[in-house]
Amino acid sequence: MKKFLSKINQAGLEGLEDPLNYRRVLFVNNISLVSSGVSFLVTLLVAFEGLFPQFIITFCGGLLFLFVIYFNSKQYYSLARFSFLIISVGLLTVASYTALGQGRFNEVENILIGFMAVNYLLYDGRFRYIGFILIYGVLLWLKFMKQGHSGLPYDLNFYLTIQNVTILCLLLFLFVHAFRKSLLKAFLKLKEKDELLYSMIDNVPLYIGLLDQEMRYKMVNINYERSFGVDRDKIIGSHVNDVLPENILSKHLPMIEQALKGESPEFLELTKMPNGNIFYAGGRYSPVRTDTGEISGISVFVNDVSKLEEAKNKLKAANSTKDKLFSIIAHDIRGPLDLFDGLVDYSSSGNISKEEFIQHQKSVKNKLSDLKETVNTLLEWARTQLDGINTFPTPTNINDIVKSNLELYEGLIAKKNIMTSVDIVSDAIAYLDANHLKIGVRNMIHNSLKFTEKDGTLSIRGVRKESKVILEIEDNGLGMEAKRIESILNKDLQNSKSGTEGEGGTGLGLSFSLELLEKNNCDVKIESEVGNGTKIIISMQADIGN
């Protein structure tokens, strides 16, 4: 019931920015609602008293006052004010006249003095003077009519009464006039404060709003108007259901309800506004309390934190790249070091001739040279990736990439006695980042060797098809199930598995290789069956100059 009455009181207030007019409409609504209620209550009383004329008057009066509220709801404010005064003065006049006709002499007409003050407050310009004088004229007419109807003479006592009533009306005029000036001055100051407040909140890069307990906007800054495409005047007074689009309302309505219960929920989300603007919104809803601690409304502020989120994501990507770099560097250095470890073990066994030692010494020297080149290349490449994975495409000879990687794993190939074959056409020149391709192919070759049994085979083929270079790496190793292939192609982090000879891994190799190749516009396919080996097909953009 309280919400229903509050809704009636708020009729026609939407979009009223001028605080004086807002108060006038609210006053007319309130007094019309009270007058309607009183009229219907009196209707019941006079019905029990058997006063049929009064019954008709009060009942019709109650209905007419409801029409005043209806006019305000349709924003016919002038008609509502005029109707309210006409209905009030008319009902008092008819009630006074009817009472005289029934021989009951009361002072109902004196109530008109209060409506003279109401008229003066509701109108501006000459209308407030005209209305004041007209109601005063009706009051005097009723006084004279009452005196004549009662058969009393128009003597000195009567004119003294008229004099006193006139003095009372003049004093009322002076009082209401002074009160109106003070009221207007207060509203002017309030308006200046509102303008200052809006000037402040309109010049901050935030969304700022204030809601009442009914979830209606009492104040918003200009950012609401710009983003929602609705005039601020229309937003103020409207319910959140009528302002916020569904994608925002569904997330924020529960938080508004939390704030009304005394909580202060915060949020950080990617938001799409009605004007098409998309940004990361961070903000909070906070309850607004009165001096007694009661919640009178909710304040909300929203900030565009897209730059902070972008910086956060870049930092996260940089950390991820750093972890991958360390893994790749460790992976590429471990292979040669394992080879050196084997050579040292072989030499320390004592079963080696001088000629064999010289031969191994030469081999170690070559491997050290290769390792030095590998480390320098990796460190230089790592330096270029500090801001993320960047590509520096150049014409790249696929055959050279494959051969350098096979040489890196000569020890593992010899240890497992794997038969390797390379068949790459001479014009297999791709246009991409050579370091990225080198790392990608290296990981794929290592995985093939790792999961291929002793005496297995590894075949590498490269052909050129129009604007593409196709590289195939195929082994007859353990193979993979379809679920693992899908996981690799999705670049998920893999659980590291030991190879056929216990070789270790990081779980980053293939997924990171695919990420690097994808950065270079390469297309990778994996064909494999458990127990039937694996074929990896890499399709690259050919160098148009070759």
Side-chain angles (χ1 to χ4, degrees):
M1 185 66 177
K2 183 179 178 181
K3 288 185 176 181
F4 175 73
L5 293 176
S6 176
K7 188 174 181 180
I8 293 177
N9 282 339
Q10 299 291 325
L13 296 178
E14 295 85 357
L16 274 177
E17 187 175 359
D18 186 353
L20 181 59
N21 286 332
Y22 183 95
R23 290 294 174 184
R24 281 173 171 170
V25 173
L26 184 62
F27 172 76
V28 171
N29 284 342
N30 286 334
I31 198 169
S32 296
L33 184 61
V34 171
S35 298
S36 179
V38 171
S39 296
F40 287 130
L41 179 62
V42 173
T43 299
L44 294 176
L45 294 176
V46 297
F48 283 112
E49 294 170 356
L51 300 174
F52 182 74
Q54 282 83 349
F55 173 86
I56 297 297
I57 294 170
T58 54
F59 180 77
C60 291
L63 293 178
L64 291 173
F65 281 121
L66 291 180
F67 272 104
V68 172
I69 299 175
Y70 172 77
F71 292 147
N72 269 338
S73 70
K74 295 300 181 179
Q75 298 183 345
Y76 301 144
Y77 303 127
S78 298
L79 179 60
R81 290 198 302 267
F82 180 76
S83 300
F84 171 73
L85 289 171
I86 288 297
I87 292 170
S88 301
V89 174
L91 285 175
L92 288 172
T93 302
V94 172
S96 180
Y97 188 80
T98 303
L100 288 175
Q102 294 175 341
R104 293 182 296 107
F105 300 96
N106 50 39
E107 301 294 331
V108 174
E109 71 278 2
N110 290 333
I111 300 176
L112 290 173
I113 297 175
F115 282 94
M116 293 167 66
V118 171
N119 168 86
Y120 198 83
L121 292 175
L122 287 181
Y123 280 96
D124 296 316
R126 64 173 180 268
F127 290 105
R128 66 178 184 269
Y129 302 113
I130 294 173
F132 192 94
I133 293 171
L134 286 177
I135 297 174
Y136 171 71
V138 172
L139 174 62
L140 291 184
W141 175 72
L142 288 174
K143 290 290 185 182
F144 275 93
M145 184 183 65
K146 180 180 177 181
Q147 188 76 2
H149 194 278
S150 61
L152 296 175
Y154 297 103
D155 55 9
L156 179 62
N157 289 331
F158 173 73
Y159 285 105
L160 287 174
T161 300
I162 296 300
Q163 176 183 298
N164 291 335
V165 169
T166 303
I167 293 173
L168 177 63
C169 291
L170 287 173
L171 291 174
L172 176 68
F173 175 83
L174 294 174
F175 170 78
V176 175
H177 181 75
F179 175 76
R180 185 176 183 277
K181 286 184 68 175
S182 299
L183 186 64
L184 289 176
K185 189 178 292 185
F187 276 123
L188 183 60
K189 288 183 178 180
L190 180 62
K191 188 174 182 180
E192 289 175 351
K193 288 182 179 179
D194 283 346
E195 290 175 352
L196 179 61
L197 176 61
Y198 278 119
S199 177
M200 292 173 60
I201 66 175
D202 285 347
N203 287 284
V204 295
L206 299 172
Y207 291 81
I208 299 176
L210 185 66
L211 296 91
D212 60 19
Q213 289 181 307
E214 303 298 327
M215 299 187 191
R216 295 182 179 276
Y217 285 98
K218 296 180 67 176
M219 181 188 69
V220 294
N221 68 346
I222 198 66
N223 288 329
Y224 275 80
E225 181 176 303
R226 292 169 179 167
S227 295
F228 292 109
V230 180
D231 290 342
R232 176 158 50 190
D233 294 346
K234 293 183 179 179
I235 294 177
I236 295 175
S238 298
H239 196 277
V240 291
N241 291 338
D242 302 322
V243 176
L244 300 181
E246 181 58 33
N247 66 307
I248 299 178
L249 181 65
S250 60
K251 297 178 182 178
H252 286 244
L253 189 57
M255 289 188 280
I256 295 173
E257 292 172 347
Q258 284 181 268
L260 285 172
K261 295 177 181 177
E263 301 177 32
S264 297
E266 297 181 356
F267 55 90
L268 176 62
E269 60 194 24
L270 186 64
T271 303
K272 182 177 182 180
M273 303 301 287
N275 63 355
N277 186 27
I278 299 176
F279 65 96
Y280 275 98
R284 181 174 64 188
Y285 287 94
S286 301
V288 177
R289 299 181 183 274
T290 63
D291 294 338
T292 59
E294 296 181 359
I295 298 175
S296 61
I298 307 166
S299 66
V300 55
F301 77 87
V302 185
N303 189 19
D304 183 351
V305 295
S306 299
K307 291 184 178 179
L308 290 176
E309 281 297 305
E310 184 179 346
K312 175 184 173 183
N313 292 333
K314 283 184 177 180
L315 180 60
K316 185 177 179 181
N319 285 332
S320 177
T321 300
K322 176 202 67 176
D323 294 339
K324 292 175 181 178
L325 287 176
F326 281 125
S327 177
I328 294 299
I329 291 173
H331 182 277
D332 286 353
I333 293 177
R334 188 183 296 118
L337 291 179
D338 289 342
L339 175 62
F340 298 147
D341 186 53
L343 290 172
V344 172
D345 287 343
Y346 182 66
S347 301
S348 63
S349 65
N351 299 321
I352 184 171
S353 64
K354 182 179 180 180
E355 291 75 13
E356 289 175 329
F357 178 80
I358 292 173
Q359 183 178 355
H360 278 299
Q361 185 183 39
K362 184 178 180 180
S363 177
V364 169
K365 183 178 180 180
N366 291 335
K367 293 303 177 183
L368 280 173
S369 178
D370 291 342
L371 178 59
K372 181 180 179 181
E373 181 182 354
T374 298
V375 170
N376 287 335
T377 301
L378 283 171
L379 291 177
E380 179 62 24
W381 177 77
R383 185 185 64 80
T384 65
Q385 306 304 309
L386 290 178
D387 293 329
I389 299 176
N390 304 299
T391 60
F392 302 96
T394 58
T396 303
N397 189 300
I398 304 303
N399 192 43
D400 293 343
I401 295 291
V402 171
K403 285 186 176 181
S404 65
N405 280 322
L406 284 174
E407 289 174 1
L408 187 63
Y409 296 110
E410 280 181 355
L412 182 58
I413 292 171
K415 181 180 178 181
K416 300 180 77 169
N417 194 31
I418 294 175
M419 180 67 68
T420 62
S421 64
V422 179
D423 182 14
I424 299 177
V425 297
S426 59
D427 62 345
I429 309 295
Y431 188 73
L432 40 61
D433 190 304
N435 283 321
H436 288 180
L437 181 63
K438 186 179 292 185
I439 290 173
V441 171
R442 184 178 303 158
N443 277 294
M444 292 173 184
I445 289 177
H446 180 260
N447 272 278
S448 291
L449 296 173
K450 178 180 175 181
F451 296 108
T452 298
E453 301 281 2
K454 284 186 176 181
D455 302 320
T457 62
L458 172 63
S459 301
I460 302 176
R461 296 175 294 275
V463 297
R464 180 159 180 167
K465 293 183 178 179
E466 298 177 352
S467 63
K468 296 290 183 181
V469 174
I470 311 298
L471 179 66
E472 296 180 356
I473 302 173
E474 184 175 8
D475 63 67
N476 66 342
L478 301 179
M480 294 179 286
E481 64 274 11
K483 187 175 181 181
R484 188 171 180 84
I485 294 174
E486 182 182 358
S487 178
I488 291 172
L489 292 176
N490 287 334
K491 298 186 286 297
D492 298 330
L493 183 64
Q494 305 300 310
N495 293 324
S496 180
K497 292 185 177 182
S498 298
T500 58
E501 295 295 314
E503 301 97 328
T506 63
L508 284 168
L510 278 179
S511 61
F512 188 48
S513 297
L514 290 175
E515 186 175 343
L516 290 176
L517 294 173
E518 189 178 87
K519 289 282 185 180
N520 287 271
N521 300 316
C522 297
D523 182 45
V524 180
K525 295 180 181 178
I526 301 177
E527 299 175 359
S528 183
E529 291 182 10
V530 177
N532 291 322
T534 300
K535 179 195 286 187
I536 298 178
I537 305 167
I538 307 172
S539 177
M540 299 163 275
Q541 184 67 41
D543 179 36
I544 59 176
N546 290 277

